[in-house]
Amino acid sequence: YPVPTTDVLTIDWGFVGDQEWHEPYVRLLDMAGRVVFENHHISTSSTHWTFGLGDLSDGIYQLEMRSNQELIGTTSVIIGH
């Protein structure tokens, strides 16, 4: 949140079922499937993360949350400055 966002995206993401997070990371893909943002430095002691996305162009992106290389969840993100 917020969606749409202008420059900062906050993710609140807890455990999925009984799965614990191992080496969690997020990445953002443009509509062509290119990775435009990736963050592997996510603390497992928190389920609340904030990322600066002000350098990205306006548009619709796909956010992927991964744990131990496995896709945990996805959502769309709209950026509009």
Side-chain angles (χ1 to χ4, degrees):
Y1 62 85
V3 174
T5 186
T6 55
D7 59 354
V8 175
L9 178 68
T10 301
I11 300 172
D12 286 316
W13 214 319
F15 294 99
V16 177
D18 293 331
Q19 180 174 358
E20 291 189 31
W21 293 46
H22 300 282
E23 301 177 23
Y25 67 96
V26 296
R27 62 186 201 173
L28 204 60
L29 295 86
D30 65 14
M31 295 310 290
R34 294 179 297 245
V35 177
V36 296
F37 174 83
E38 196 164 29
N39 189 316
H40 287 266
H41 304 288
I42 297 176
S43 170
T44 56
S45 64
S46 175
T47 58
H48 177 91
W49 306 286
T50 301
F51 304 100
L53 303 176
D55 293 338
L56 296 177
S57 300
D58 291 359
I60 300 172
Y61 297 85
Q62 187 70 29
L63 176 74
E64 293 183 349
M65 187 67 177
R66 294 181 171 263
S67 176
N68 203 28
Q69 301 295 327
E70 180 182 337
L71 182 63
I72 299 300
T74 64
T75 190
S76 294
V77 174
I78 301 169
I79 297 177
H81 301 284

